[in-house]
Amino acid sequence: MPDTPIVEKTVTELGDTTPEMVAIRFAELCSSFDVEMASQSADPESWKSFLVKWTGRKSGILSLIGENWLKSAPKELKPIVGQELNRFKRHVEAALEEKRREIEAAADETATARDRIDLSLPGVERAIGTRHIIRQTYEELERIFLSIGFSVVEGPEIETPYYNFEALNIPEHHPARDNMDTFYIEGTREAHLLRTHTSPMQIRTMEKQQPPVRIIVPGKVYRRDNPDSTHGYMFHQIEGLAVDTDITFCDFKGTVEYFVREFLGPKAKTRLRPSYFPFTEPSAEVDATCHVCGGSGCRVCKFSGWIELFGAGMVNPAVYGFVKYDAEKLSGFAFGMGVDRLAMMKYGITELPLLFQNDVRFLRQFP
Ligand code: DAH
């Protein structure tokens, strides 16, 4: 049978009959507390059971001493038991408080260590990205025209039929409207549409500005096209317009040739093919020798040696009538390029949708 623990016996049962014996008893208890205390780890579970063992309200050692030793102590020993018990209590409390602080400090330290920012570590690098291939092409086109005295203007994507068609010499029911079916703003069929080309800015510019005019107009345009590998409902254009008192067809041709050599390289040759646009007279399609085969014929130019670049021409005098320019004194030329087409041609891209899907694997190829 295990010995009854001393704290469950009375002072008399323990055989302590003098104050000295009581003091020794407490001194022994105190040192066994100290030994146990010293071997305590910071483990929260064992720390909790240690606390319960010594200070538990019902069966903790301190409570049991009060119950078993103090209450039933003989009269002459009661003062010394009470005194020693109080002293022991203070000792225990002080020791526990110190240990509690230690544990807290240790926990704080681990938390700080965990949260500490190590400034010497390399940072997370964010990819800045690159300019989109359409943007790069625009910048290239703008660079070329800015270098010969053109300036950039921009205009609204929501237009009126007047600027988009009428003032460009495309009256209602004109067949040139057929391939320019577009999106009308709901409820305003007559009043507003998404522009089908950047040409309306020719009119808006000449209305505001007296000649000389030398502008290029980058921007988005819209058409009700069925999407396929070369068509979408939206694409990018850059319009050009030069008007002055002495602009000839030679200036037009020279400018176009300069542009083609800048854009495709010094070996590229230019060809003008007769064409038709209501706002130019005469009108031309500008072709260049194929940049892939140099003109000898290949798959890209469908073995013709030529690539169609853009439409252009001398400004139709009828257009001057709409902006109150003097058609007798003024002349000029205009052109309109499909930027997506030019980019696809120059970089050998065969699918237009790739330009708008923003797949980084595609975009990264044009750093
Ligand atoms: N606006 C025409 C289109 O979108 C392109 C064009 C052709 C513009 C000839 C011009 C030009 O300024 O002279 O199809």
Side-chain angles (χ1 to χ4, degrees):
M1 213 174 93
D3 278 349
T4 318
I6 53 168
V7 286
E8 289 185 4
K9 295 182 180 170
T10 64
V11 173
T12 319
E13 281 166 350
L14 287 169
D16 295 338
T17 48
T18 64
E20 290 75 24
M21 290 171 94
V22 169
I24 290 168
R25 178 73 59 198
F26 271 99
E28 280 168 3
L29 193 65
C30 190
S31 65
S32 57
F33 171 81
D34 286 346
V35 168
E36 234 179 90
M37 177 81 201
S39 68
Q40 272 306 303
S41 70
D43 168 53
E45 278 310 303
S46 69
W47 175 242
K48 206 166 152 195
S49 53
F50 175 78
L51 284 181
V52 172
K53 175 178 172 184
W54 287 93
T55 61
R57 196 190 264 264
K58 260 199 179 148
S59 44
I61 289 173
L62 285 176
S63 304
L64 291 177
I65 293 174
E67 204 58 39
N68 301 327
W69 292 4
L70 185 62
K71 277 196 187 156
S72 58
K75 216 178 182 176
E76 67 281 8
L77 290 182
K78 223 173 209 167
I80 181 75
V81 173
Q83 226 175 320
E84 288 292 332
L85 177 57
N86 278 339
R87 198 157 66 161
F88 181 54
K89 257 189 197 160
R90 284 198 300 275
H91 176 75
V92 168
E93 274 161 14
L96 292 182
E97 176 62 15
E98 193 182 324
K99 184 75 178 173
R100 195 183 57 77
R101 287 216 188 106
E102 257 171 47
I103 289 174
E104 266 176 20
D108 272 1
E109 215 165 278
T110 13
T112 338
R114 198 180 45 230
D115 297 344
R116 192 165 28 229
I117 296 167
D118 183 348
L119 294 176
S120 70
L121 283 175
V124 180
E125 251 183 73
R126 271 177 199 277
I128 294 172
T130 57
R131 283 164 311 144
H132 191 277
I133 185 64
I134 292 295
R135 186 74 246 146
Q136 291 185 38
T137 308
Y138 264 131
E139 285 174 12
E140 168 75 349
L141 298 172
E142 287 167 14
R143 179 192 68 75
I144 296 169
F145 286 107
L146 289 175
S147 75
I148 50 173
F150 284 75
S151 45
V152 177
V153 298
E154 286 181 303
E157 286 173 28
I158 297 174
E159 265 299 0
T160 62
Y162 176 77
Y163 287 106
N164 197 81
F165 296 124
E166 273 102 83
L168 285 161
N169 202 31
I170 318 175
E172 208 166 358
H173 308 303
H174 191 288
R177 286 204 190 192
D178 288 356
N179 66 358
M180 291 209 191
D181 199 8
T182 183
F183 302 94
Y184 289 82
I185 309 298
E186 206 170 346
T188 68
R189 182 168 177 89
E190 289 313 308
H192 290 100
L193 46 80
L194 294 185
R195 67 178 175 191
T196 60
H197 48 182
T198 41
S199 308
M201 275 311 284
Q202 292 191 22
I203 308 300
R204 288 185 179 277
T205 305
M206 288 189 284
E207 273 183 349
K208 282 213 199 94
Q209 186 187 326
Q210 284 307 304
V213 168
R214 250 182 239 100
I215 53 152
I216 49 170
V217 188
K220 290 194 182 87
V221 302
Y222 302 83
R223 287 191 199 174
R224 225 210 60 185
D225 265 332
N226 289 325
D228 61 20
S229 62
T230 54
H231 294 85
Y233 59 86
M234 185 278 298
F235 58 103
H236 301 86
Q237 280 192 339
I238 194 160
E239 186 82 13
L241 175 70
V243 180
D244 207 340
T245 46
D246 50 5
I247 292 185
T248 67
F249 197 90
C250 284
D251 297 314
F252 166 54
K253 191 157 181 274
T255 306
V256 164
E257 282 175 357
Y258 172 79
F259 164 76
V260 169
R261 280 196 305 270
E262 283 289 307
F263 189 64
L264 292 178
K267 288 207 189 106
K269 290 198 184 63
T270 307
R271 171 176 88 172
L272 298 181
R273 249 183 318 123
S275 184
Y276 174 77
F277 300 103
F279 37 91
T280 45
E281 183 57 37
S283 304
E285 290 295 336
V286 178
D287 297 345
T289 39
C290 176
H291 59 295
V292 175
C293 62
S296 57
C298 68
R299 220 160 42 89
V300 173
C301 58
K302 298 198 183 83
F303 301 97
S304 71
W306 296 94
I307 297 265
E308 184 185 315
L309 290 187
F310 56 90
M314 299 303 288
V315 177
N316 189 329
V319 171
Y320 296 135
F322 287 97
V323 296
K324 307 201 170 57
Y325 270 19
D326 186 346
E328 296 294 322
K329 292 201 181 110
L330 296 167
S331 58
F333 60 85
F335 52 86
M337 305 174 179
V339 177
D340 319 68
R341 272 202 74 235
L342 291 180
M344 287 171 74
M345 183 204 84
K346 188 164 175 176
Y347 298 102
I349 301 162
T350 51
E351 300 291 313
L352 178 77
L354 282 172
L355 294 173
F356 309 119
Q357 286 161 354
N358 281 339
D359 185 330
V360 288
R361 290 167 301 182
F362 171 76
L363 298 176
R364 274 201 197 115
Q365 297 174 58
F366 310 98

